Amino acid sequence: MMVLALDIGATKFAAGVVYGGRKVRDVRRVDVPRESVWSACRDLLLEVAGDATVSAIGIGSAGPVDVRTGVTGPLNIPEWKPGFPIVAEVQRLFPAAAVRFAIDGACLALAEHHVGALRGIPNGLAMTVSSGIGGGIIADGRVVLGRTGNAGHVGHIVVPGWDVPCECGGVGCVEAIASGMSSVRWAREQGWRGETGAGLAKAAHTGDEIALAALHRAGTALGTAIASAGATLDIDRVVIGGGFAQSGEPLWEPLRAALTRHTGLDFLRELQVVPSRITNGATLVGAGVLAAGHDTADAIS
């Protein structure tokens, strides 16, 4: 019997086999296509499963989601708007499997709480800063889901001072300012000629003024948003992972400066912000924890 994990990201699908409830191996990835999106996801799952009987599968999806109905509608997958019945389709694909579903941020929090930098921390926030920005909340040792399963959607904290339109339909969301995709877009508008977040970080480290300004802008917005989240949640630690979060000091220095500027309350002064120690697919790891159903049954359904 096989246990699978599936990560539905903004630009890629990833799936793998869960071993021991906390390790995901035999991982396969595929770009999210513009059309026939479910076909690509289905084929990936079938490739990973092979001829095995699948007993359980955990799904972590970019949001928004509705865990009550098993529907996902990622902002960056137009074909799945306003919602795609991912749980029903996966159940149809693997009729004998227990299908467990959560937003990617909740899976991220599960991963960090079980094997990462939130292990042993009863109150924390796990964030990913990549092509988009997401997050998941640990409160009193449990993952917080919220009414529809979208709790921890920190990418849509509104940052004052920026009226940048967001894919969600709002303006000033930190995702619209500080994600890798948004930062690249802003840098290109200023004349930078690169195309990726990794390239932007590399350019910043070589002293490119536009790249440095883009990362300073992103770090400032992130630090401001994290201060707001910290004040709201009263947490011990924020863990940040994702590809764009690995941009180094040009991103982290303004992040820390903004955090210091906005955390004047006594209970916020000990708030720690640290990089993730999970270097490969934290959402997929969390989906594996979800699939295995460790001690999360009372927190995730």
Side-chain angles (χ1 to χ4, degrees), residues 107-120:
C107 290
L108 181 67
L110 280 173
E112 294 291 353
H113 193 55
H114 279 260
V115 300
L118 290 181
R119 193 169 187 178

Side-chain angles (χ1 to χ4, degrees), residues 80-138:
W80 282 5
K81 292 180 183 178
F84 179 79
I86 187 65
V87 170
E89 291 297 334
V90 171
Q91 191 76 76
R92 187 174 294 115
L93 197 61
F94 302 113
V99 181
R100 301 185 177 99
F101 172 53
I103 196 168
D104 54 1
C107 290
L108 181 67
L110 280 173
E112 294 291 353
H113 193 55
H114 279 260
V115 300
L118 290 181
R119 193 169 187 178
I121 302 295
N123 298 286
L125 172 66
M127 291 180 64
T128 182
V129 180
S130 188
S131 53
I133 295 176
I137 303 163
I138 299 291

Side-chain angles (χ1 to χ4, degrees), residues 52-184:
T53 299
V54 176
S55 61
I57 179 167
I59 306 169
S61 176
V65 302
D66 192 328
V67 297
R68 303 167 301 181
T69 58
V71 167
T72 184
L75 293 177
N76 293 306
I77 305 182
E79 190 176 87
W80 282 5
K81 292 180 183 178
F84 179 79
I86 187 65
V87 170
E89 291 297 334
V90 171
Q91 191 76 76
R92 187 174 294 115
L93 197 61
F94 302 113
V99 181
R100 301 185 177 99
F101 172 53
I103 196 168
D104 54 1
C107 290
L108 181 67
L110 280 173
E112 294 291 353
H113 193 55
H114 279 260
V115 300
L118 290 181
R119 193 169 187 178
I121 302 295
N123 298 286
L125 172 66
M127 291 180 64
T128 182
V129 180
S130 188
S131 53
I133 295 176
I137 303 163
I138 299 291
D140 297 328
R142 298 179 59 200
V143 176
V144 176
L145 292 182
R147 180 177 60 88
T148 61
N150 288 288
H153 226 102
V154 292
H156 300 282
I157 291 176
V158 176
V159 182
W162 284 288
D163 291 329
V164 182
C166 181
E167 291 287 337
C168 74
V171 294
C173 298
V174 67
E175 179 172 292
I177 302 157
S179 71
M181 290 176 66
S182 298
S183 296
V184 167

Side-chain angles (χ1 to χ4, degrees), residues 180 184 192 195-205 215 243-244 246-247:
V184 167
W192 185 67
E195 296 183 354
T196 68
L200 191 65
K202 184 177 180 180
H205 282 278
L215 291 182
F244 197 57
Q246 298 174 33
S247 297

Side-chain angles (χ1 to χ4, degrees), residues 17-24 110-111 113-115 119 284-286 288-289 292 294-295:
V17 181
V18 181
Y19 292 89
R22 295 182 181 183
K23 294 182 179 179
V24 182
L110 280 173
H113 193 55
H114 279 260
V115 300
R119 193 169 187 178
L284 198 61
V285 172
V289 173
H294 271 292
D295 56 358

